[in-house]
Amino acid sequence: MLGVRAVYLALALALFASSASASSDPLIDVLPVGGAAVGYVLRHERSTYRGAEGGADQLPLYLYEGERAYLHGTSLGLKFKQEDWRVDVFLRYRFEGFTRDRQPTSTLGLAPREPGFDAGASLRRHMSWGTPYVEVLRDASHASEGMELRAGYWANDWRRGRLTVRPQLVLAWRNAKLNDFYYGTSDYHAGAGLDLQAALYASYALTESWNLIGGLNATRRSSQISGSPLAQGGLHSEAFFGFLYDFSPKQERWVPQSKPLIVKALYGNSSDCDVLQVTRLNCTKRHTVDNTDVAALHLGRKLIEGAGGWPVDLAGFVGIQRHFEKTYQDDFWSGMAFFKAYWYGFGWDRWVHTRLGIGAGLSYSEQISQMELHDQGRRNRGNWKLLGYLDPSFDVRVAKETYLGVGVSHRSGAFGKSQFFGSVNGGSNYIYLSLETTF
């Protein structure tokens, strides 16, 4: 029988494609502690904004479940559970507003109303007839300074073979600051109001690990929003479709006698070569456009060893990176969270152990680097602090569980096709040397 956990996971991840993001976290108790999953979703919406650009929006999905902390797509949080009750405190991305590079025609002449981050807390209880919840959100990015209160209900699943369908209802009260920031103008001030959303999410389990995911939702905006000159009439609606790969059902989580900590230190130079050119060794130029550097520290743990019987290990990392901007601007910090897969099945391993690694996840920067300012400025494009993160590398073992390596620290915005990454097309690359060991 296909894992019920994988079905729940696929349903839950589909929700994160929703720009309304109007629900308490549906990923509760989906993965076991130490579980991991990745996926990708294409979303099409009828925006609340009049004259909004159409086309499919892309959303990469990364999920990790710890004992107390978790990364759930666009949410990072802490969890506390007692029998059927669950309390979460979290930081969540708000899919609302518009950026410089994707500005609706009704907002021309206005400054961007950029998406932000909400700090929130939720309380939910599982009942025999479904799962009701309440949630409070407060802008933590100093964008709107607004607040939202939500009451929602997840109905129990309807299953037929490999197909699972799950409906949801949400009532959301938004205060005046939140509504006015995203839909107000100099002549119109949006007050507080109630939004109502209905949604239907579905998953089809292809295998124990692979799932197709999709869904439909519609939101009736309050009169305070629909009356804005920036808004169009009718429902805000969305449809989305994608896939998910869940590492967790495939095998037991790798559990050693102790819990070794992976520590990696690196130092890199800016490069105007793109990440594919560097990995193919077609271009390794450094400091040709600007003379900036980075130093980073990554901390991680191995999640799965020998995944699927292949010579592949999966690890999870969090890291901090210091940007040395030299004379261009003040130095600053960035942070990242990512999965990394290592392939070590080479014929020469009996003489020298080598491995190829590819990391993928998220990077948040305290400010925009000179590299990205230059790269985007020459093409008259905007910038974004939250971007996708890639970390391809090649390592040679120099001692027991100690590796010397070379790689690329890369940030980019999914070719301008992801609202989650500010619709940014471009980024930055730093070619680095690293030393990694395990304690």
Side-chain angles (χ1 to χ4, degrees), residues 275-286:
V275 66
L276 290 179
Q277 288 177 319
V278 177
T279 55
R280 294 196 303 259
L281 300 180
N282 290 340
C283 180
T284 57
K285 297 179 296 184
R286 293 168 295 148

Side-chain angles (χ1 to χ4, degrees), residues 370-389:
Q370 172 61 24
M371 276 205 71
E372 293 175 21
L373 288 171
H374 178 271
D375 185 55
Q376 297 298 88
R378 66 186 176 87
R379 295 179 289 183
N380 195 30
R381 294 173 177 169
N383 294 283
W384 203 247
K385 291 184 177 181
L386 178 69
L387 293 178
Y389 181 74

